[in-house]
Amino acid sequence: MLIFALVLHAAFAVLLPPLVRVLGARVFFVASLPPALAVLWALSQAPRIVSGRPISASVAWVPALDISLDFRVDALALAMVVLVSGIGAAIFCYSVGYFHADERGIGRLASVMVLFSGAMLGVVTTDNLFALYVFWELTSVTSFLLIGHDDRKEQARRAALQALVTTVGTGLFMLVGFILLGGIGGTFRISELVADPPTDSPWLPVALVLILVGAFAKSAQAPLHFWLPAAMVAPTPISAYLHAATMVKGGVYLVARLAPGFADVDPWRALVLTVGLATMLVGGWRALRQDDLKLLLAYGTVSQLGFLIVLGGTGTQVAAAAMIGTLLAHGFFKSTLFLTVGVIDHQTGTRSIAALTGIGRRMPVLAGAGALAAASMAGLPPLIGFVGKEAALEAFLPGHVPAPSPAAAGVMLAGLVVGSILTFAYSARFVWGAFADKETVSERRFQSPSWAFVTAPVLLSAAGLLLGVAPQAADAVAQSYAAPLPVGDKPYHLALWHGFGPTLGLTALVIAAGALLFAARRTVEQAQKALARWPEAELGYHLFVHAIYAAALSVTRRLQSGSLSVYLGVILATMLALPGVRLVAALVNGDLRLPFGSEEFRIWDSPLEGVVAVVLIVATIAVAREHRRFPALIMLGALGFGVAGLFVLHGAPDLALTLILVETLTMIILVFVLRRLPSTFNVRPNGWTKRFTVLLCSAAGTFIAVTLWLMTDARTATPISGGFAERAEEVGGRNLVNVILVDFRALDTFGEIVVLATAAVAVASLVLLNRRSRVMEQNGAETPEENGAETEDAKEGTAGPRAGIGTKEILGNDLRPDGAHQPNEGGE
Amino acid sequence: MTTADGAWRAGADGDGQGDGAAPEGWEAPRERWLSTVVRPAFGPRSVLLEIVARLLIPAILTFSVFLLLSGHDRPGGGFVGGLVASMAYVLRYVAGGRHELAAGLPMRPNGLLALGLLVACGTAGAPLLFGRPILETFSFSTVLPVFGTVKFASFLLFDIGVFLIVVGLVLSVVAALGARMEAEEEEARVRRPRREGGR
Amino acid sequence: MSAPGFILVIAVAVLYSSGFYLLLQRSLMRVVFGITALGHAANISLLLTDEAITLPPLLTGHEGELSDPLPQAMTLTAIVITFGVTTFLLALAYRVWLGDGNDEVPNDVEDRRIKQLSEPEDSA
Amino acid sequence: MNLLLVIPFLVPLVGAAVTLLLRRTPRAQQAASVLVLAAVVVDAALLLAKTAGGTVATSQAGAWEAPLGITIVADALSALLVLVSSVVLLVVLLYAIGQDIGGLSRAMPQVFHPIYLVLTAGVCLSFLAGDLFNLFVGFEVMLTASYALITQAPTRARVRASMIYTVVSLTSSILFLTGVALVYGLTGTVNMADIAEKLGAAPEELRMVLALLFLVVFGIKSALVPMHFWLPDSYPVAITRISAIFAALLTKVAVYAIIRSQTLLFGRDDISAVLLWMAIATMIVGILGALVQDDINRVVAFTLVSHIGYMIFGLGLNTVAGIAGVVIYLVHHIVVQASLFLVNGLIRQYVGHTSLRAVRGLTTVSPALALFFLLPAMSLAGLPPMSGFVAKVALFKAGIEAGGWLVYLGVVAGVLTSLLTLMAIFRIWVRGFWGTPMPDMVEARAQLRSGSSRAGLRFTTAMTGVMVGVGITVAVMAGPLTDIAFTAARELLDPSAYIDAVLQKGPS
């Protein structure tokens, strides 16, 4: 059933775009079906799951690599499914009102959103590390596409790429961490790893840190949180869904998923608590000074995610229960708030606190829902947010639970209280900013939203209220999830009322201080402005990217010279550096010895051979030194005939005959071509470059010759050719070379004639073709059939040689639309 | 400035050697050879060279066939034979110019290439039909009235394929780099002033 | 066992060196010469894997050790392949001359453009 | 068995001859080429079915037993690569036909088909050659065809590119031939299985020199840093169909040759350290090059260089898992590179060029195009659930299992390269696919869609879609693929079955 739900998401993603023509924006109703189905199914299975019998399913994919699509829905997954699919379904319905039918790319949008919904469902239900990574990165990519939905805005493109690079880049760390972890644990099933965590490997901390890096980036933990506020350029339903309610919880989910097994491994807890707390404080502090409601919420989200990471990563029962409560709370209240802002933005055209007034009066229902959600965020009873926060404070009361250590718990508690105060303050600021009447602001004219548009936020905030009033449902899930974790003094249940105790006192403190902070908001704003601004986290990203590009440019500029001779020189140098150095080393070490002085050593086999060799050497050097074409050609001919002579001496009449014929033909053809070319070559002046070239080439030539000498000297077996003579009788031929060519190794000959035929066709097509193009040019004619139709080569050809624009100029006119840019293969 | 814009029209006509509408260069007068009044490729017309060429060419061609057939026992074979045969045509071109070359060809170079390739492929693939490995040789002997016992072997066919392809290659190259360029030069000579101005 | 005479080793070294040297020149015609020289060098290398036996590998019934036919067959194949490819290079040289008025191998345009950049074009 | 092993190169050659004769009837030519490649695909599938389980199929050309005659041999790796290559070749051919129908390209259709089929034969022969010299011949067949293809529709830029390409390839060929001479000098044989046995008696130092020399020879063709410079200067300039095939196949054939030579011939000597260093350099230098390019084709070409590094990394691990990773990566990368170049070809059709300085808003111009770019781009960046993800996991996993500081450095380089690939490839997306389309692009699209080239445009788009679909199939079938890859890797690391099959069983 779960697999069916996933497939359904994918199928709908394919089906939706064509439906847009018929349905317009109502296509989102259709889109809400798969997540709705998933959440209904999950709820129907909830009793069974909560009672400790998770649901499993599996599809094999690449068993040899342990990549398998295993699924397992337990309590934690259940909570996440409710968030992902439940909120998803609501947001899809909301989108019907948000998007106009003529919105650009609405089909694409709906399709990608459903795909995201499915991917997220996969993330929270899978039980295989690789499958988790698969779905995880799918959410990154869909998120990228959704952030960049309004791709004509530079800002959107930037933010999308930034989010992608951050999440996928860190996701790669996570992948390596997964592979390490699975390798250490011997299995890639998460449930098995958590149930029976490996402990003894020195690589385990490395694996965990790598995984945490991925989780932190996904959940926008400081200092990797910068992408999340930037991602707010996306349309509001997307922000609400991905960047508040679900995707960013991926990291929290992963931390919470692994915490039962690995929370006690250093440096897990230290890392999680530090980063989480820092994020909570930074986010809350930054939220206090935002003017844009959406950004306020975004920083609020960052803060809350830090909070959740702390709770999820601590690895105690109370913290775990608090995490479940806060997780659900956050999902509901944050999506409500975003949707509220979306409505405000949609109706009034702004979401700036400085420009909004009287919204509460004009949209009371919406304001009610928003206020309720904000109250939940602030941690006010009787909402689920309050329940979660109570539990959270309880979790860090020193002495109540075994981990973390009391001192650390004290610090954490203080941090959480400060964070909560900040949360209260920005929640209040949100309500005030969004709905309050402000005398200084003139009221805008706008239409009231349709009821359908407001339904989703109302429902979602109501869900928050419901869960708060009846926390038993959440508690059941929490207990089921927290069961394997270390217990404190007494079992803890999520509830509205725990009696008077330190936590209640702390809550009161939070409310009082928060209210104070809100009341003093002007002072706070000024204080924030007055403080030296610490470097933006985004700066790190920009520095990284810039460093990469600068490195890329400097490396490529230096290496990719564009000159053929340099390329060939480097190849020769490589040959010398690899086998060459090896050979020299062996010779120096005495592992190999040149056959000087051995019995085999001889100057020549016959004096005639010596003469031929000298002719060869002289002719070769002459060819290399000659700067005039025809003399060089004649020396080349002499060289060829010299080689033929050597062939005769070595008993190869066939070769000699062939070579002489081939040489003659080559000479004739060379003459055909050469008579058109200038009579001398352009030569480079003598200088160190030339000397270096000579040195390089001599070294390369010597290397090959010496290797040949050594190899032939060290022959290990008699050549196989003895067999040919024996078998030649069977064939009935007496010229062994020819018999080999046409019989024993006819396949080589076969290939060779194919080479010849191809070369012939190539030469013909190359020469004949050029002629035609010249005729065209003479007539000044473009090819006639392409009046308008831009064919593949037309532009290259015409824009190439003619547009003689200097490089600098091109850069200046990068985007000039008049065609002055020089595409692809610019000319000289 | 010569643009190399590849202004080539797809399917406009053959690649220059299609038989029907052969472009200039192949428009050879179908007269007896050496009677064409065309400038040879190099230098002035030399009667001596022409006569020598005329006398030599049949001999060269015969010799090339001999090399082809006897290659199995003596130095020679398809390559050498093919090279020698194509020498005959090169000689003919050098002596008589491009029209001469065109007039003397049995078939277009591409045809020779394709034919040679087909013959070679056929010889190579035939044993497969009988479930034998590629390129296995088969031979049989018959007694012919005049020649006595004649052995025929499939590798001879293969060698003929080689022969044809070598001839095809050389002709193709001579046609392209020799004859074609010569034709172009003639055209260019007409247009020279304009082009010089452009450089 | 079958190492060639020293002077031939030197000849091979010179052939390869000169071939490489010609290959590194800008003029495509010299590159063609270089390829030809290198082709010779490789062919001689193949042949030198055998001892210098002057008796050709013909089964004529004469006494004596025959030279090794296999490298010869391979050399023959290589000669012909080199010939085919050389003609192609010549056609290419001709083509280049038509386009540029010389037969030099120019540097790549796009590479040159990037060489002249001093700042990455985008770091976003 | 004889037939199955021979068809992949024999039938294309017959096809080449036939299409050369059919020059004046383009339709017949097209039909013949398609038929030939379809036959090769079917044949390769059958061959893979035979060899996937670990049997080594051999056929002795001319029925001469192994060291004397030439062995054609297919193990799981060869068969797999022949199959993938032929599928890619077929789809690219169909794409090319679509372009010709629509008059969208001015390549020479008459000689394109024969040469393309020769290229096919060369690629297949290289994969199936069991003989070192025959491998050389296979390479030459493939390369000569590629010289002819890269000069199709020669603009100045193309002639310049083909010079670089041809001369560098020739250098590599000459060194290859030299290597054959050296091997024959040392062992007196050219049959690879035979060499493998006889090299055992040779001095270790000489073996190492040979191993490194062959690494250089094939390293040039597979564009290992620092021998890679020619590739980005040549491949992107050719017309689409050609650069797609070159990028997809030619470097991979060279990588195959590296794998084969370093495992079968020189397997007993360890040059892992060299391979790993080269792999790291290749990954990093290649991807840094990709980041600063402005031309989409060039970006993709630089990523090609970079990702060759992944394959060499896997080979350098010298473990079954590592080499299996290489095999998966090979298959994945062949398909992905072809897809990306075909997409670039579509962009060229729409816009006339592929320079990022003048391409904007392609998603608006053609949503299908955007989708077809996005999926392979994700795959190239190793994002799940595409095939690139599986390949990367296989390699990383193998690396982490193998251990050692150099290997870990390699994994780090791999991770970094992965991230940079993402940046490079999504930079194309952000700059070229998003944004407001340039006015001339919209106009060009309107003209293309209304003009006579409409059918061709649709067809080429559809074929690009098919290629992307092949990529997705690779991802879906990753399970069986991985099993084959492991079989192949085991065969490569323990070549005794291969050697026995070639040397002892004789003609089958």
Side-chain angles (χ1 to χ4, degrees):
Chain A
M1 180 61 201
L2 182 65
I3 292 164
F4 173 71
L6 287 171
V7 173
L8 203 63
H9 280 90
F12 269 63
V14 179
L15 287 178
L16 286 175
L19 279 178
V20 171
R21 272 184 215 157
V22 191
L23 294 175
R26 273 169 299 171
V27 76
F28 282 102
F29 276 135
V30 183
S32 72
L33 291 177
L37 190 77
V39 75
L40 287 177
W41 169 79
L43 287 176
S44 72
Q45 301 292 323
R48 176 189 155 175
I49 295 168
V50 168
S51 67
R53 286 182 295 141
I55 297 168
S56 303
S58 185
V59 182
W61 185 15
V62 193
L65 296 172
D66 299 305
I67 306 176
S68 179
L69 302 179
D70 304 321
F71 297 98
R72 185 169 180 274
V73 185
D74 60 2
L76 178 61
L78 177 69
M80 288 300 293
V81 170
V82 169
L83 281 185
V84 168
S85 298
I87 296 181
I91 289 178
F92 279 120
C93 295
Y94 170 87
S95 300
V96 177
Y98 185 87
F99 292 110
H100 299 287
D102 54 354
E103 170 88 18
R104 215 173 122 258
I106 194 166
R108 198 170 72 201
L109 189 72
S111 169
V112 178
M113 273 178 83
V114 174
L115 214 54
F116 167 80
S117 179
M120 202 61 217
L121 188 62
V123 168
V124 299
T125 53
T126 183
D127 192 33
N128 177 291
L129 288 174
F130 287 124
L132 175 65
Y133 179 78
V134 169
F135 291 117
W136 183 280
E137 293 302 24
L138 267 178
T139 64
S140 297
V141 173
T142 43
S143 158
F144 164 77
L145 293 173
L146 291 170
I147 297 173
H149 171 69
D150 201 353
D151 61 83
R152 298 187 174 182
K153 278 193 219 147
E154 167 73 21
Q155 207 193 351
R157 298 198 295 262
R158 235 168 230 280
L161 193 61
Q162 191 174 329
L164 182 77
V165 169
T166 313
T167 52
V168 175
T170 50
L172 283 165
F173 289 101
M174 190 179 84
L175 176 64
V176 174
F178 281 169
I179 296 176
L180 279 172
L181 183 62
I184 298 163
T187 173
F188 284 84
R189 285 194 82 112
I190 302 170
S191 52
E192 289 171 12
L193 279 169
V194 172
D196 179 20
T199 47
D200 51 348
S201 169
W203 286 100
L204 183 60
V206 180
L208 292 177
V209 170
L210 288 172
I211 294 172
L212 283 178
V213 169
F216 287 163
K218 193 77 160 184
S219 280
Q221 298 298 295
L224 298 171
H225 65 276
F226 51 85
W227 68 266
L228 184 59
M232 291 299 142
V233 293
T236 302
I238 291 165
S239 307
Y241 190 26
L242 276 70
H243 306 125
T246 56
M247 185 181 97
V248 289
K249 297 240 172 63
V252 175
Y253 167 78
L254 182 61
V255 168
R257 173 59 79 199
L258 295 178
F262 300 99
D264 291 328
V265 178
D266 276 339
W268 172 285
R269 195 169 274 131
L271 202 59
V272 165
L273 295 185
T274 320
V275 170
L277 193 65
T279 308
M280 185 177 184
L281 295 176
V282 168
W285 178 249
R286 300 279 309 256
L288 273 179
R289 72 148 190 250
Q290 300 302 325
D291 175 60
D292 183 337
L293 284 176
K294 220 172 151 183
L295 276 183
L296 190 159
L297 290 179
Y299 280 106
T301 308
V302 170
S303 170
Q304 291 283 321
L305 288 169
F307 185 36
L308 282 167
I309 286 277
V310 166
L311 296 177
T314 306
T316 62
Q317 221 172 43
V318 188
M323 197 276 299
I324 294 284
T326 314
L327 188 75
L328 290 170
H330 182 254
F332 287 112
F333 68 66
K334 196 50 70 64
S335 54
T336 311
L337 293 175
F338 266 106
L339 296 188
T340 311
V341 173
V343 174
I344 295 172
D345 189 16
H346 191 264
Q347 303 302 123
T348 67
T350 181
R351 44 180 205 242
S352 160
I353 291 178
L356 286 169
T357 184
I359 305 293
R361 253 185 305 113
R362 301 279 305 276
M363 299 190 235
V365 182
L366 187 73
L372 206 59
S376 182
M377 176 155 80
L380 295 179
L383 294 146
I384 180 72
F386 168 75
V387 175
K389 194 156 290 178
E390 283 277 286
L393 295 174
E394 172 80 23
F396 289 95
L397 283 181
H400 277 216
V401 280
S405 68
V411 176
M412 290 304 300
L413 188 64
L416 289 185
V417 168
V418 175
S420 304
I421 293 170
L422 291 173
T423 307
F424 186 93
Y426 70 72
S427 304
R429 188 159 178 272
F430 174 83
V431 175
W432 165 80
F435 305 114
D437 285 355
K438 297 172 204 113
E439 291 130 24
T440 49
V441 185
S442 56
E443 208 162 316
R444 299 183 152 230
R445 296 174 47 171
F446 59 87
Q447 291 190 324
S448 292
S450 65
W451 65 268
F453 199 17
V454 184
T455 311
V458 170
L459 280 180
L460 288 172
S461 72
L465 181 63
L466 198 71
L467 276 172
V469 175
Q472 292 80 3
D475 186 52
V477 175
Q479 295 308 323
S480 176
Y481 163 64
L485 288 164
V487 202
D489 316 336
K490 56 183 193 309
Y492 183 86
H493 288 275
L494 290 179
L496 275 176
W497 183 249
H498 290 283
F500 292 101
T503 49
L504 199 64
L506 285 174
T507 306
L509 174 71
V510 165
I511 293 172
L516 211 64
L517 200 59
F518 169 70
R521 56 184 179 274
R522 284 182 198 287
T523 328
V524 173
E525 267 174 51
Q526 272 155 10
Q528 286 217 359
K529 274 182 198 145
L531 277 179
R533 293 182 61 180
W534 59 68
E536 303 266 339
E538 207 178 349
L539 190 66
Y541 170 81
H542 286 311
L543 282 180
F544 168 75
V545 172
H546 193 268
I548 289 282
Y549 275 99
L553 183 64
S554 76
V555 167
T556 310
R557 267 170 64 195
R558 288 192 172 80
L559 294 184
Q560 194 72 27
S561 60
S563 157
L564 176 60
S565 12
V566 174
Y567 295 175
L568 291 170
V570 173
I571 287 173
L572 290 185
T574 313
M575 186 177 78
L576 286 174
L578 292 176
V581 166
R582 186 87 203 187
L583 184 75
V584 172
L587 287 173
V588 170
N589 290 341
D591 295 333
L592 289 176
R593 290 189 47 230
L594 288 174
F596 280 116
S598 74
E599 287 172 25
E600 286 294 318
F601 179 79
R602 55 203 187 282
I603 301 290
W604 53 56
D605 289 310
S606 66
L608 208 53
E609 195 179 272
V611 173
V612 172
V614 169
V615 168
L616 281 184
I617 293 172
V618 171
T620 315
I621 294 179
V623 175
R625 291 179 59 93
E626 187 56 67
H627 296 150
R628 291 161 298 165
R629 279 173 210 264
F630 275 100
L633 180 64
I634 289 165
M635 293 327 287
L636 193 71
L639 170 61
F641 288 106
V643 176
L646 189 67
F647 286 163
V648 171
L649 286 179
H650 276 241
D654 280 275
L655 287 190
L657 194 56
T658 314
L659 189 64
I660 288 172
L661 289 166
V662 163
E663 278 301 310
T664 315
L665 275 172
T666 311
M667 288 301 129
I668 292 173
I669 297 165
L670 269 169
V671 170
F672 288 160
V673 178
L674 275 184
R675 65 198 158 118
R676 274 137 231 274
L677 298 175
S679 62
T680 55
F681 301 113
N682 290 336
V683 285
R684 289 172 182 169
N686 292 332
W688 67 268
T689 334
K690 188 167 175 178
R691 269 177 233 137
F692 178 73
T693 311
V694 172
L695 195 69
L696 180 73
C697 296
S698 318
T702 314
F703 159 68
I704 291 180
V706 168
T707 317
L708 179 74
W709 204 20
L710 288 168
M711 296 276 173
T712 48
D713 189 54
R715 174 168 279 184
T716 55
T718 44
I720 54 170
S721 7
F724 293 127
E726 293 164 20
R727 300 304 191 89
E729 298 300 325
E730 288 177 34
V731 188
R734 285 197 289 276
N735 180 358
L736 282 180
V737 174
N738 186 264
V739 174
I740 291 176
L741 281 176
V742 298
D743 200 337
F744 287 112
R745 298 182 62 90
L747 195 58
D748 286 342
T749 315
F750 190 35
E752 173 202 349
I753 59 177
V754 174
V755 170
L756 289 187
T758 315
V761 174
V763 169
S765 82
L766 196 61
V767 174
L768 297 173
L769 207 143
N770 99 76
R771 210 184 135 267
R772 222 163 287 233
S773 72
R774 214 168 61 173
V775 171
M776 290 289 181
E777 183 229 4
Q778 293 289 331
N779 300 338
E782 295 299 312
T783 34
E785 80 264 39
E786 62 189 51
N787 37 4
E790 301 289 355
T791 56
E792 180 171 286
D793 309 318
K795 277 210 167 175
E796 299 163 9
T798 49
R802 268 171 223 171
I805 308 167
T807 314
K808 292 273 159 56
E809 219 174 315
I810 300 167
L811 287 175
N813 302 327
D814 191 33
L815 298 178
R816 231 163 51 184
D818 58 4
H821 55 75
Q822 208 174 2
N824 196 1
E825 26 215 38
E828 311 292 325
Chain B
M1 189 182 202
T2 311
T3 51
D5 60 358
W8 159 266
R9 258 192 294 159
D13 48 12
D15 61 357
Q17 294 170 22
D19 350 28
E24 68 274 60
W26 290 107
E27 292 157 1
R30 288 273 164 201
E31 297 155 55
R32 300 310 314 146
W33 79 288
L34 292 184
S35 55
T36 45
V37 213
V38 194
R39 247 169 52 83
F42 301 101
R45 206 179 150 125
S46 152
V47 177
L48 185 66
L49 182 63
E50 285 179 18
I51 289 174
V52 170
R54 178 167 198 175
L55 289 176
L56 273 182
I57 286 173
I60 297 178
L61 285 178
T62 318
F63 181 56
S64 77
V65 174
F66 167 76
L67 283 173
L68 166 70
L69 295 180
S70 71
H72 223 49
D73 296 326
R74 273 171 288 275
F79 281 122
V80 176
L83 288 169
V84 169
S86 44
M87 280 294 186
Y89 287 100
V90 173
L91 184 62
R92 186 164 179 156
Y93 165 66
V94 171
R98 60 195 164 101
H99 295 294
E100 225 12 275
L101 177 66
L105 287 182
M107 64 196 292
R108 308 263 168 235
N110 273 357
L112 279 177
L113 294 172
L115 188 66
L117 202 53
L118 275 181
V119 169
C121 286
T123 331
L128 292 169
L129 301 178
F130 307 98
R132 302 296 305 163
I134 185 173
L135 281 164
E136 192 179 28
T137 327
F138 50 90
S139 59
F140 55 86
S141 313
T142 50
V143 182
L144 290 183
V146 185
F147 299 93
T149 311
V150 169
K151 206 180 90 181
F152 176 80
S154 63
F155 55 67
L156 191 63
L157 261 182
F158 186 73
D159 235 3
I160 290 174
V162 175
F163 182 94
L164 289 176
I165 286 191
V166 172
V167 175
L169 166 75
V170 176
L171 289 182
S172 192
V173 170
V174 171
L177 289 177
R180 170 62 59 199
M181 279 161 61
E182 193 190 322
E184 265 171 40
E185 206 157 71
E186 260 167 44
E187 278 170 39
R189 218 169 283 136
V190 182
R191 292 192 297 258
R192 188 56 49 95
R194 207 181 124 194
R195 291 181 56 76
E196 296 282 288
R199 278 270 154 78
Chain C
M1 258 177 73
S2 59
F6 184 60
I7 192 152
L8 284 180
V9 175
I10 294 181
V12 169
V14 171
L15 265 172
Y16 271 110
S17 306
S18 308
F20 287 140
Y21 179 75
L22 285 167
L23 215 55
L24 293 188
Q25 304 305 308
R26 281 186 86 84
S27 159
L28 193 56
M29 201 48 77
R30 295 187 88 180
V31 172
V32 175
F33 289 0
I35 294 286
T36 316
L38 285 174
H40 288 317
N43 291 334
I44 295 179
S45 304
L46 264 173
L47 203 73
L48 291 188
T49 58
D50 182 33
E51 280 169 275
I53 294 167
T54 39
L55 209 54
L58 300 171
L59 301 174
T60 47
H62 295 300
E63 291 294 308
E65 201 182 354
L66 302 179
S67 55
D68 188 349
L70 182 54
Q72 293 190 16
M74 293 195 287
T75 309
L76 206 133
T77 308
I79 290 176
V80 181
I81 288 181
T82 314
F83 173 61
V85 175
T86 309
T87 54
F88 175 77
L89 262 185
L90 281 172
L92 198 61
Y94 171 64
R95 182 70 225 221
V96 175
W97 169 75
L98 271 183
D100 297 358
N102 61 41
D103 66 337
E104 303 218 337
V105 188
N107 288 3
D108 190 84
V109 175
E110 193 67 17
D111 286 339
R112 254 185 307 175
R113 197 185 70 75
I114 286 166
K115 245 175 136 69
Q116 286 166 5
L117 297 179
S118 52
E119 274 285 296
E121 279 175 37
D122 58 343
S123 345
Chain D
M1 202 50 76
N2 287 333
L3 201 58
L4 278 186
L5 280 167
V6 162
I7 284 179
F9 58 88
L10 187 62
V11 171
L13 289 180
V14 175
V18 171
T19 46
L20 193 60
L21 288 174
L22 290 175
R23 258 168 311 145
R24 287 187 302 143
T25 45
R27 283 297 148 94
Q29 231 186 1
Q30 290 163 358
S33 306
V34 171
L35 271 180
V36 165
L37 278 170
V40 176
V41 170
V42 172
D43 178 81
L46 293 175
L47 196 59
L48 182 62
K50 286 227 171 194
T51 55
T55 17
V56 179
T58 60
S59 170
Q60 297 294 141
W64 298 106
E65 73 276 7
L68 288 188
I70 294 172
T71 318
I72 305 155
V73 47
D75 56 1
L77 176 63
S78 304
L80 181 65
L81 289 176
V82 170
L83 177 63
V84 177
S85 306
S86 53
V87 169
V88 168
L89 281 160
L90 177 61
V91 179
V92 173
L93 176 74
L94 289 169
Y95 178 96
I97 290 175
Q99 279 193 324
D100 292 340
I101 291 172
L104 292 161
S105 165
R106 275 180 278 116
M108 285 179 75
Q110 293 95 336
V111 294
F112 167 72
H113 288 275
I115 301 178
Y116 190 81
L117 291 176
V118 170
L119 184 84
T120 308
V123 169
C124 294
L125 185 60
S126 305
F127 284 140
L128 296 173
D131 183 288
L132 195 59
F133 191 71
N134 200 233
L135 180 65
F136 169 75
V137 172
F139 258 70
E140 285 306 306
V141 171
M142 174 180 92
L143 291 177
T144 315
S146 74
Y147 305 149
L149 287 175
I150 201 170
T151 49
Q152 292 274 298
T155 59
R156 256 159 93 108
R158 279 191 193 126
V159 172
R160 181 171 52 225
S162 62
M163 269 192 278
I164 292 184
Y165 176 76
T166 313
V167 174
V168 171
S169 300
L170 279 174
T171 313
S172 147
S173 295
I174 298 256
L175 291 178
F176 191 175
L177 191 61
T178 309
V180 174
L182 295 177
V183 167
Y184 188 79
L186 188 58
T187 61
T189 181
V190 280
N191 182 299
M192 289 203 275
D194 205 21
I195 297 172
E197 295 207 318
K198 288 184 178 160
L199 268 181
E204 190 200 338
E205 290 299 321
L206 284 182
R207 286 202 309 253
M208 289 296 258
V209 170
L210 273 184
L212 291 170
L213 182 67
F214 273 92
L215 180 64
V216 170
V217 167
F218 299 130
I220 299 173
K221 287 308 302 159
S222 54
L224 290 188
V225 169
M227 300 175 285
H228 70 287
F229 301 113
W230 58 273
L231 189 145
D233 286 356
S234 57
Y235 280 10
V237 186
I239 58 175
T240 305
R241 52 184 87 166
I242 311 297
S243 34
I245 280 303
F246 280 21
L249 293 183
L250 296 201
T251 45
K252 308 306 184 317
V253 177
V255 171
Y256 163 81
I258 293 183
I259 297 174
R260 184 66 82 199
S261 59
Q262 298 300 336
T263 54
L264 177 62
L265 302 185
F266 311 113
R268 56 174 73 76
D269 299 307
D270 192 14
I271 59 165
S272 294
V274 175
L275 287 174
L276 287 173
W277 277 116
M278 283 189 106
I280 293 170
T282 306
M283 284 192 250
I284 300 293
V285 171
I287 201 61
L288 288 181
L291 279 170
V292 292
Q293 302 303 318
D294 264 336
D295 184 280
I296 302 176
N297 265 339
R298 284 179 67 97
V299 176
V300 180
F302 270 101
T303 65
L304 166 64
V305 173
S306 170
H307 286 229
I308 296 290
Y310 277 115
M311 303 171 210
I312 301 304
F313 169 72
L315 182 63
L317 295 178
N318 209 15
T319 61
V320 170
I323 293 178
V326 182
V327 177
I328 303 170
Y329 214 100
L330 270 171
V331 173
H332 142 72
H333 203 244
I334 286 175
V335 178
V336 162
Q337 280 287 335
S339 311
L340 284 174
F341 270 102
L342 290 190
V343 172
N344 295 348
L346 288 183
I347 299 176
R348 260 194 211 171
Q349 280 176 16
Y350 275 117
V351 193
H353 61 83
T354 49
S355 170
L356 276 178
R357 274 171 289 164
V359 179
R360 293 287 178 278
L362 283 169
T363 25
T364 316
V365 173
S366 166
L369 180 65
L371 183 69
F372 294 159
F373 177 81
L374 186 64
L375 294 177
M378 282 172 67
S379 192
L380 190 70
L383 289 175
M386 312 306 290
S387 52
F389 158 71
V390 180
K392 191 180 300 177
V393 165
L395 282 176
F396 285 178
K397 211 169 162 226
I400 287 170
E401 279 166 16
W405 68 271
L406 190 53
V407 173
Y408 288 129
L409 189 64
V411 173
V412 171
V415 169
L416 185 62
T417 305
S418 208
L419 175 62
L420 298 186
T421 306
L422 179 90
M423 287 166 73
I425 204 93
F426 275 86
R427 181 172 153 260
I428 298 178
W429 176 269
V430 170
R431 287 182 69 175
F433 283 79
W434 277 350
T436 316
M438 307 199 126
D440 59 326
M441 284 167 59
V442 180
E443 214 174 284
R445 174 181 68 156
Q447 270 161 354
L448 264 183
R449 292 227 167 127
S450 59
S452 58
S453 43
R454 191 175 169 186
L457 190 68
R458 281 194 175 174
F459 195 73
T460 46
T461 312
M463 282 309 128
T464 313
V466 169
M467 190 64 97
V468 173
V470 173
I472 292 172
T473 315
V474 172
V476 172
M477 300 297 289
L481 171 68
T482 309
D483 294 339
I484 296 176
F486 271 92
T487 310
R490 273 188 287 272
E491 281 175 340
L492 286 169
L493 279 183
D494 177 18
S496 54
Y498 182 98
I499 293 175
D500 290 348
V502 172
L503 290 184
Q504 277 155 33
K505 279 186 199 154
S508 50

